[in-house]
Amino acid sequence: MPVKSDGLTHENELVARNVRRFRLERAMSLGELARRSGLSKQTLSKIEQGTGNPTVETLSLLGAALDVPTRRLLTEWGTPVHVQRHDEGEWSRAGNWSQRLLDEVYGSGYVRTLVLRLDRAAGRPEPIAPHAPGTLHHVYVITGRLRTGPLTEPVDLAAGDFARFPGDIPHQHICLSERAVAHMVTTLPQVRQVSSTAVR
C-alpha cells in the first residue's frame, strides 16, 4: 500500500533526500543498495529523484538495507525552523495532569537538557559556532523574551513560545528583556556507519 500523506509530493521528496543521505553516509553505491534491499536500481533511482511512490513495504526494505528504522526515512533532519507560539499549542488532560506537546523528533543519540538563563548584553553577543552535523536545539521560553535561531532565520520568542532549529549552522541566543529563562534540549542523532563499496 502507498504511504498515506496529505502532501505526497513533499513526502516523496523527503524520502528521496533521506535515502540518498543515508546511502552516501555509508559510502554505498546504488547497485549495493539494490543488492541489499532486493529492489531494482531503476526503482531506487526513481525514489532518490523523488519521482517514485514507495510503498510501506519498500520503505521497510530500504530501512533494513540502510540499517535505520523506517521512520527515519520520513523524518526531516533539522532543516526547517519550527515555532509554536504560546497560544497555538493544545493541552491534553489525563487524570490530574495535562500536557502540551511541543515537538517530536525521531531517532536515538545524544540528548542534553538544560535551563538557559540570559541577561541583556551591552553589545551584540558573538554568534555561536555550528555544532556537529544533525544537531537540533529545542527552546521553550519560561520567562522574558529572547531572539534565537539561525543567523539567517532568527525568531523572537516570548514566555510560552517554543522553537526548534538546526544547531549545525551559525546561530544565536540574544536576550531582549532584562533577563530571560528558557528550557533547552539539544539532540544529536547517532547513525551507525557500515562498510560498503565506494559511492557511484
Side-chain angles (χ1 to χ4, degrees), residues 1-17 46-47 49-56 59 73-74:
M1 61 182 265
V3 178
K4 184 178 180 182
S5 169
D6 292 332
L8 194 56
T9 299
H10 170 74
E11 294 288 0
N12 287 342
E13 291 173 352
L14 179 60
V15 170
R17 289 195 299 272
K46 287 183 178 180
I47 289 173
Q49 292 171 14
T51 58
N53 187 15
T55 63
V56 172
L59 293 178
L73 300 178
L74 292 164

Side-chain angles (χ1 to χ4, degrees), residues 25-104:
E25 282 182 352
R26 287 151 179 72
M28 190 183 295
S29 69
L30 204 62
E32 176 65 9
L33 181 56
R35 185 187 69 78
R36 291 181 180 226
S37 65
L39 300 168
S40 70
K41 288 176 65 174
Q42 182 180 12
T43 297
L44 293 175
S45 179
K46 287 183 178 180
I47 289 173
E48 287 199 1
Q49 292 171 14
T51 58
N53 187 15
T55 63
V56 172
E57 181 183 4
T58 297
L59 293 178
S60 179
L61 290 171
L62 282 171
L66 293 166
D67 195 28
V68 296
T70 302
R71 67 176 180 270
R72 289 197 177 192
L73 300 178
L74 292 164
T75 300
E76 190 71 68
W77 290 93
T79 301
V81 174
H82 166 68
V83 178
Q84 184 187 113
R85 299 298 178 185
H86 70 281
D87 57 350
E88 293 176 341
E90 293 186 5
W91 291 87
S92 59
R93 189 163 186 82
N96 62 349
W97 59 276
S98 57
Q99 66 179 16
R100 171 186 164 194
L101 179 64
L102 299 175
D103 192 23
E104 288 183 312

Side-chain angles (χ1 to χ4, degrees), residues 16-30:
R17 289 195 299 272
N18 284 334
V19 169
R20 181 167 176 79
R21 170 192 167 176
F22 289 131
R23 179 173 69 81
L24 294 178
E25 282 182 352
R26 287 151 179 72
M28 190 183 295
S29 69
L30 204 62

Side-chain angles (χ1 to χ4, degrees), residues 77-82 126-137 148-155 164-173 184 186-188:
W77 290 93
T79 301
V81 174
H82 166 68
E126 289 293 318
I128 301 169
H131 304 305
T135 298
L136 288 174
H137 288 313
T148 190
L151 299 184
T152 56
E153 197 177 350
V155 292
R164 181 245 302 143
F165 58 88
D168 54 5
I169 56 178
H171 54 284
Q172 62 187 344
H173 302 305
M184 186 167 81
T186 299
T187 60
L188 175 59

Side-chain angles (χ1 to χ4, degrees), residues 105-178:
V105 177
Y106 297 96
S108 60
Y110 171 85
V111 178
R112 184 177 189 223
T113 303
L114 56 84
V115 174
L116 186 66
R117 189 168 61 191
L118 304 98
D119 294 313
R120 188 192 295 271
R124 187 178 182 83
E126 289 293 318
I128 301 169
H131 304 305
T135 298
L136 288 174
H137 288 313
H138 316 250
V139 179
Y140 177 82
V141 180
I142 300 171
T143 61
R145 296 181 298 113
L146 64 95
R147 177 170 297 145
T148 190
L151 299 184
T152 56
E153 197 177 350
V155 292
D156 291 352
L157 304 176
D161 291 344
F162 168 81
R164 181 245 302 143
F165 58 88
D168 54 5
I169 56 178
H171 54 284
Q172 62 187 344
H173 302 305
I174 299 175
C175 185
L176 300 178
S177 51
E178 288 305 311

